[in-house]
Amino acid sequence: MNEKWNSLMKSMEKESLTALLITDPKHVYYLTGFACDPHERFLGLVITQHEEPALIVPSLDGDKASSTSSVKRIATHTDTDNPYDVLKQHLPHGLPLLGIEKNHMSLQRFETLDHAVQAQRYADAGPILQSMRLIKSEEELARMKEAVNLIEDVLRQCVSQVKTGMTEIEVVAELEYLMKKLGSDGPSFSTMVLAGENAALPHGIPGTRKIQEGELLLFDLGVYLNGYASDITRTFAVGEVNATCKEIYDTVLAANETAIAAVKPGVTFGSLDRTARQVITEKGYGQYFTHRLGHGLGIDVHEYPSIHSQNDDLLQSGMTFTIEPGIYVPQVAGVRIEDDVAVTETGVTVLTSYPKELTVIGV
């Protein structure tokens, strides 16, 4: 039994959980190595204190589960079976307490589950899994670095092809083609390419807006590779840009670098956000930094922790997250610079290495 399973068993014992039902496909992958998208079909990993775990999968995924999962007790169900009948066979009778993922399970599924297994009580297993995922192993960090390297190769190749007159969505199409061509599992979120005034929309949607000389062009993109996500943002100049754009860019870069330099075990997430925000506020752009400094990164592109000013949790070695300050001036320009970082015993390792000086492209 590996370290993850040992940690999970200790947590179950501490919380007096007789059994645990894992239904989030990402957590099934995290614990077993088996990855699938069950769509509307039932997927469940059953873990009990004193029995071998069982993995319940749709029959069409049975062979893959048998060959890739560390769990060897595999049960399948067809599209005409009731999967909860299968589930009942792998849970102890008269359960006093069953752990479930409240954040993942719909009300309809919970009602069906409760009718089938009739546990006396249910507890949320989310905090246990969040705590386990919070500290990344060396293997996990290596996978994240591979995902970062791949997305940086994608960005490097695409940027060299960008020309004025191309639309935002054309550049997105090229980026996502390269993601697949270079071997990723796919984008880790909706790829963003935003030009000029559109870059002032932190969650803008790429469209038919054409790239023009004299403006800023923002790229926010990432991939999944071997189950782990990357997430990077870089902003470029399309030809020569005005002094305001340069000032905004330099301010965001200073905030990014100042926050990264402050990363070390024992400081709070809130202090990181405040450190970056102070840099931007002192330059007069405080009202235009409209989001948190960053978010956790791992098997999800957005996971705990949330790096905002009110988070007083302490950084620990092995945590991974983004540092992504931004300034968004409506109808003028937007700049965001995002890096992926890992906390070390003495400070920080920056997983992203794509250059951050303001670079001219497209002409």
Side-chain angles (χ1 to χ4, degrees), residues 1-156:
M1 185 172 286
N2 63 29
E3 188 175 334
K4 289 178 184 175
W5 284 100
N6 286 330
S7 174
L8 185 58
M9 289 299 175
K10 287 179 182 177
S11 296
M12 288 177 65
E13 186 173 353
K14 180 181 177 182
E15 300 297 328
S16 300
L17 286 173
T18 313
L20 190 61
L21 174 62
I22 304 295
T23 52
D24 185 336
K26 281 190 168 63
H27 284 148
V28 171
Y29 171 78
Y30 178 74
L31 292 168
T32 73
F34 167 65
C36 83
D37 181 355
H39 302 288
E40 75 280 5
R41 298 177 176 93
F42 180 85
L43 171 70
L45 174 63
V46 178
I47 304 164
T48 56
Q49 287 279 14
H50 305 295
E51 293 185 26
E52 183 182 355
L55 181 59
I56 302 169
V57 303
S59 58
L60 51 84
D61 292 307
D63 289 344
K64 183 180 178 183
S66 296
S67 63
T68 63
S69 172
S70 61
V71 171
K72 297 309 176 187
R73 190 178 169 205
I74 309 293
T76 63
H77 60 90
T78 69
D79 287 342
T80 56
D81 291 334
N82 182 346
Y84 293 91
D85 289 339
V86 181
L87 174 63
K88 280 195 296 185
Q89 297 171 22
H90 292 87
L91 283 171
H93 294 293
L95 270 173
L97 184 62
L98 174 62
I100 60 173
E101 296 180 89
K102 288 185 177 181
N103 193 48
H104 179 259
M105 186 169 290
S106 68
L107 177 58
Q108 181 184 39
R109 283 205 165 187
F110 173 74
E111 289 175 343
T112 306
L113 170 71
D114 184 44
H115 179 75
V117 305
Q118 296 181 347
Q120 295 175 28
R121 291 190 299 126
Y122 298 89
D124 186 12
I128 294 174
L129 294 159
Q130 176 179 288
S131 178
M132 289 177 61
R133 289 171 52 180
L134 192 55
I135 307 300
K136 305 301 191 290
S137 67
E138 289 300 320
E139 179 186 354
E140 289 179 292
L141 288 171
R143 291 192 185 192
M144 292 180 68
K145 180 61 177 173
E146 289 175 353
V148 166
N149 290 344
L150 193 151
I151 198 58
E152 292 189 332
D153 285 344
V154 167
L155 183 58
R156 193 173 293 109

Side-chain angles (χ1 to χ4, degrees), residues 111-350:
E111 289 175 343
T112 306
L113 170 71
D114 184 44
H115 179 75
V117 305
Q118 296 181 347
Q120 295 175 28
R121 291 190 299 126
Y122 298 89
D124 186 12
I128 294 174
L129 294 159
Q130 176 179 288
S131 178
M132 289 177 61
R133 289 171 52 180
L134 192 55
I135 307 300
K136 305 301 191 290
S137 67
E138 289 300 320
E139 179 186 354
E140 289 179 292
L141 288 171
R143 291 192 185 192
M144 292 180 68
K145 180 61 177 173
E146 289 175 353
V148 166
N149 290 344
L150 193 151
I151 198 58
E152 292 189 332
D153 285 344
V154 167
L155 183 58
R156 193 173 293 109
Q157 290 189 34
C158 184
V159 162
S160 67
Q161 302 174 35
V162 172
K163 301 295 181 186
T164 55
M166 293 178 70
T167 65
E168 296 167 333
I169 202 68
E170 284 175 333
V171 180
V172 168
E174 183 62 27
L175 288 167
E176 295 193 348
Y177 163 72
L178 287 168
M179 290 176 192
K180 283 291 191 179
K181 182 180 178 182
L182 296 182
S184 81
D185 300 327
S188 52
F189 58 95
S190 296
T191 306
M192 277 195 279
V193 176
L194 301 169
E197 73 284 353
N198 284 351
L201 304 170
H203 278 176
I205 299 174
T208 57
R209 196 326 188 142
K210 291 185 177 181
I211 298 166
Q212 302 170 26
E213 189 170 352
E215 65 187 14
L216 295 172
L217 183 63
L218 185 151
F219 290 71
D220 189 354
L221 63 164
V223 292
Y224 278 114
L225 181 64
N226 295 322
Y228 285 78
S230 57
D231 185 1
I232 183 174
T233 306
R234 291 292 185 267
T235 307
F236 300 89
V238 183
E240 186 67 23
V241 295
N242 62 35
T244 298
C245 288
K246 290 179 180 177
E247 181 182 57
I248 292 172
Y249 190 94
D250 289 345
T251 302
V252 173
L253 179 57
N256 168 277
E257 293 180 335
T258 301
I260 290 173
V263 173
K264 62 181 179 180
V267 305
T268 67
F269 291 109
S271 70
L272 297 182
D273 182 283
R274 293 190 294 271
T275 295
R277 205 166 296 276
Q278 182 177 354
V279 172
I280 291 173
T281 299
E282 287 178 351
K283 287 292 185 177
Y285 292 102
Q287 66 178 310
Y288 301 115
F289 181 12
T290 54
H291 56 74
R292 62 187 176 179
L293 179 64
H295 54 82
L297 187 70
I299 59 174
D300 278 308
V301 72
H302 280 208
E303 59 184 47
Y304 187 82
S306 181
I307 297 89
H308 59 73
S309 62
Q310 304 304 308
N311 188 345
D312 293 328
D313 288 350
L314 300 177
L315 276 69
Q316 302 173 54
S317 179
M319 290 180 172
T320 53
F321 50 90
T322 67
I323 298 283
E324 49 179 303
I327 293 174
Y328 313 93
V329 183
Q331 302 305 312
V332 177
V335 173
R336 183 165 62 255
I337 301 173
E338 176 183 21
D339 286 302
D340 303 340
V341 305
V343 185
T344 68
E345 292 183 359
T346 58
V348 63
T349 293
V350 183

